[in-house]
């Protein structure tokens, strides 16, 4: 099923549901297909293995391989094997546990293509199957070294599995295991579709249209369905509609050489009170002559507010003073290529109306060779609505509107900006809370007071800074990394939160270098520009803060020096010990065994094996 409503309808009435589209996952980053490597094709089984007593699941940590994945047990299906038989074989080989039963198949088929670094080949998984297995007891035989040389087995609590698994295709199976089957609403690979099997969705559409036409079952057609534009809210400043009304000729279009029809310049443009546009009261503009017969006529007084001009305004910004064309072709190609505008930020009405109409206009302009891109916008970020304190949409009618002038007078413009970015995720609707501004104001007061601790002998020159406080230096570089990435991903609330963490640490210091404080101010400047600029000058910097390069972090300085290593015995947490972040397996094993809390659990017992997950845990199996 390719539609949620069809899917729910079929489930409700017990109708057969057959998968015809399989999701296709293409490896990215370190898993990206390598053109210089060969392809291997195979059918795969993914195995979800449940503990015999606890609500925990056996997973694989590939930290010691080049892939560094986090997965379920996974392996190829051999010739002549069923998915269930392969699942049992792989589960025993990878986990060592022996007594188990197949419970059921999870979900449907998935395809994936990626680079498997541990095998140094590109993998094309023609078909992935997911099988759920339950262990019956703890019967165990040590796995062969060859089977586990690239990964360690770990038991993960049910509530932590989703965060542990880092392959999207496996998370789909886990979601189905938890919440049941769902329809696929994305593109993929055709299956159970006779001669079309193996085609991508785009290829399938072309081939099935061709097949329908060849067999006289139908023909290709393009249909558009759009909501009618409603120019209902009449304002003076809407775009005039270039029509005049003549008693003799009827509605007549204004000739092209008389365009554009411009609004009259007036001091007042009050509503008419009759429902007509405010233009209806301006007789010297309304009364004109008919372009056809030259007789008396009246201009159309309705205007085109909201959607008409905004459908192409982004193009006009690129060439605003062109009196000969909507846009110069060279300028359009320079700014719009290769994919159109890379990022568009808009609210609910932008997503459901403006973007729809703008796209329609853009395609028309493409057809008449005015623009060079088929699509106007590459990506949309949806802005969440700021609701009133009562949880409703702000409206004069409900008298719940927040006046920014009053807020700025009481708390300052920077406090307002910070609060708007901090109040919640960018795309989430959030209710206004004036009390939240108090926290922002206090944060900025902390920032202001820290200037008294700044050592101004060296002005913003990294080469002259002697690093004496590695903890603060490390936190600064972590902040640079997080704020940079959060801004790029529109996660402004967590960026502000990270700045607060850094400020709290700076407050504890007796002295802070001018360089470190200046780097912090650059990070703060997009959020609180006024105070950042003033403090920048106060600590001795000459040029404006907005002429400075954005800070860069040092990868070495963001590495953790110490970690809390979890120590498990037979998969159960028995201790946590502080160790160097780069501790080796041998050193970790020695410290774990010497721990007083661990000794009582392993004393007199045989240690069968030790599972070490670098930077996270060590599990002693007895």
């Amino acid at each position: 099923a390719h539609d949620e409503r069809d899917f729910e309808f079929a489930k409700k009435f017990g109708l057969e549901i057959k998968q015809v589209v399989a999701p296709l996952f293409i490896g990215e980053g370190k898993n990206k297909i390598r053109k210089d490597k060969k392809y291997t094709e195979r059918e795969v089984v993914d195995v979800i293995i449940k503990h015999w007593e606890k609500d925990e699941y056996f997973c694989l940590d590939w930290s010691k391989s080049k892939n560094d994945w986090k997965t379920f047990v996974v392996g190829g299906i051999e010739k002549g094997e069923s998915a269930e038989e392969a699942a049992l074989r792989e589960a025993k080989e990878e986990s060592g546990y022996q007594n188990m039963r197949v419970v059921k198949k999870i979900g449907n088929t998935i395809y994936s293509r990626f680079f498997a670094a541990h095998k140094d080949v590109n993998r094309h998984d023609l078909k992935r199957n997911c099988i759920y297995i339950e262990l019956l007891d703890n019967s165990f035989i040590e796995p062969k070294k060859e089977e586990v040389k690239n990964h360690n087995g770990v038991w993960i609590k049910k509530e932590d599995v989703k965060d542990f698994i880092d392959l999207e295709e496996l998370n789909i199976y886990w979601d189905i295991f938890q919440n049941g089957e769902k329809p696929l609403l994305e593109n993929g690979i055709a299956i159970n579709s006779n001669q079309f099997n193996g085609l991508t969705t785009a290829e399938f559409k072309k081939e099935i249209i061709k097949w329908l036409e060849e067999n006289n079952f139908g023909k290709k057609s393009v249909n558009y369905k759009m909501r009618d534009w409603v120019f209902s809210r009449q304002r003076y400043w809407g775009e005039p509609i270039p029509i005049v009304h003549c008693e003799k000729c009827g509605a007549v279009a204004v000739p092209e050489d008389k365009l554009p029809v411009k609004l009259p310049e007036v001091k007042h443009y009050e509503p008419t009170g009759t429902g007509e546009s405010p233009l209806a009261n301006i007789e010297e503009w309304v009364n004109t002559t008919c372009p056809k017969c030259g007789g008396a006529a009246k201009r159309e007084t309705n205007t085109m507010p909201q959607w008409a001009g905004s459908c192409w305004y982004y193009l006009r910004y690129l060439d605003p003073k062109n009196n000969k064309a909507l846009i110069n072709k060279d300028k359009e190609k320079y700014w719009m290529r290769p994919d159109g505008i890379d990022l568009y930020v808009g609210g609910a009405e932008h997503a459901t109306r403006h973007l729809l109409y703008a796209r329609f206009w853009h395609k028309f302009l493409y057809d008449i060779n005015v623009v060079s891109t088929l699509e106007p916008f590459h990506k949309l970020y949806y802005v969440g609505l700021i609701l009133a304190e009562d949880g409703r949409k702000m409206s004069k009618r409900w008298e719940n509107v927040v006046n920014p002038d009053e807020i700025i007078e009481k708390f300052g413009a920077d406090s307002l900006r910070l609060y708007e970015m901090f109040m919640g995720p960018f795309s989430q609707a959030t209710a206004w809370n004036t009390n939240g501004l108090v926290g922002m104001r206090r944060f900025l007061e902390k920032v202001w007071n820290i200037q008294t601790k700044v050592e101004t002998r060296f002005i913003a020159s990294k080469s002259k800074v002697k690093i004496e406080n590695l903890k603060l230096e490390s936190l600064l570089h972590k902040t640079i990394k997080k704020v940079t990435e959060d801004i790029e991903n529109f996660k402004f609330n967590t960026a502000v939160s990270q700045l607060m963490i850094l400020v709290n640490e700076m407050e504890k210091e007796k002295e802070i270098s001018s360089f470190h404080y200046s780097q912090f101010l650059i990070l703060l400047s997009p959020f609180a520009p006024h105070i950042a600029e003033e403090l920048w000058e106060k600590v001795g910097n000459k040029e404006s803060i907005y002429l400075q390069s954005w800070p860069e972090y040092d990868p070495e300085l963001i590495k953790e020096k110490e970690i809390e290593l979890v120590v498990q015995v037979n998969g159960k947490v028995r201790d946590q010990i502080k160790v160097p972040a780069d501790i080796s397996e041998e050193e970790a094993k020695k410290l774990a065994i010497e721990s007083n809390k661990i000794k009582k659990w392993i004393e007199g017992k045989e240690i069968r094996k030790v599972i070490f997950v670098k930077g996270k845990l060590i599990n002693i199996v007895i």
Side-chain angles (χ1 to χ4, degrees), residues 34-88:
R34 292 271 299 274
K35 292 181 180 179
D36 59 326
K37 300 297 180 181
K38 67 178 183 178
Y39 255 107
T40 60
E41 296 183 344
R42 62 177 190 163
E43 191 172 342
V44 177
V45 64
D46 300 300
V47 194
I48 298 176
I49 304 172
K50 186 179 181 299
H51 194 277
W52 57 93
E53 288 179 344
K54 295 177 283 190
D55 206 4
E56 294 181 0
Y57 295 82
F58 187 82
C59 299
L60 301 181
D61 184 310
W62 298 69
S63 297
K64 58 185 181 182
S65 81
K66 295 177 181 178
N67 289 101
D68 194 21
W69 295 323
K70 305 288 188 298
T71 69
F72 298 122
V73 165
V74 58
I77 297 177
E78 296 177 358
K79 190 173 181 180
E81 272 188 325
S82 67
E84 288 77 7
E85 289 168 340
L88 288 169

Side-chain angles (χ1 to χ4, degrees), residues 1-2 18-25 108-113 124-128 184 186-209:
H2 202 68
K18 182 176 284 189
Q19 185 188 14
V20 293
V21 180
L24 171 62
F25 292 94
N108 283 301
T109 299
I110 289 177
Y111 286 76
S112 58
R113 296 170 188 167
H124 183 180
D125 291 340
L126 296 171
K127 187 178 180 184
R128 298 190 80 106
L184 171 68
E186 306 296 332
N187 295 329
I189 301 291
I191 62 173
N192 297 320
S193 301
N194 297 327
Q195 70 266 38
F196 305 109
N197 285 343
L199 297 178
T200 65
T201 300
E203 293 167 340
F204 181 96
K205 288 177 180 177
K206 289 179 183 177
E207 289 301 315
I208 198 164
I209 289 170

Side-chain angles (χ1 to χ4, degrees), residues 569-570 574 592-608 620-622:
V569 177
N570 281 1
R574 297 301 184 187
I593 291 173
E594 289 174 354
S595 163
N596 290 328
K597 289 182 180 179
I598 299 302
K599 280 180 181 177
K600 67 178 182 179
W601 294 103
I602 64 174
E603 207 164 13
K605 305 284 175 66
E606 177 194 350
I607 297 177
R608 277 179 155 178
I620 300 170
V621 181
I622 58 171

Side-chain angles (χ1 to χ4, degrees), residues 389 406-408 410-420 422-423 432-447 496 500:
E389 293 200 71
E406 294 174 6
I407 298 294
I408 290 169
K410 186 174 181 181
F411 295 97
D414 283 342
S415 298
L416 174 59
R417 285 170 63 95
L418 270 169
Y419 177 60
E420 285 186 314
F422 182 68
M423 62 193 302
W432 180 268
N433 184 350
T434 304
N435 291 333
L437 283 155
V438 176
M440 293 301 107
R441 174 73 186 193
R442 286 175 181 162
F443 166 65
L444 290 178
E445 286 170 355
K446 284 183 182 181
V447 172
V496 174
M500 290 176 170

Side-chain angles (χ1 to χ4, degrees), residues 40 69 116 169 243 275 298 377 426 491 524 579:
T40 60
W69 295 323
E169 50 266 50
I243 296 287
K298 290 184 179 291
F377 315 118
F426 186 76
K491 296 180 178 180
L524 179 68
V579 299

Side-chain angles (χ1 to χ4, degrees), residues 3 30 116 130 233 256 279 324 408 567:
D3 182 280
K30 62 194 175 192
C130 185
R233 300 178 70 180
E256 191 172 340
L279 290 172
K324 295 180 180 179
I408 290 169
V567 184

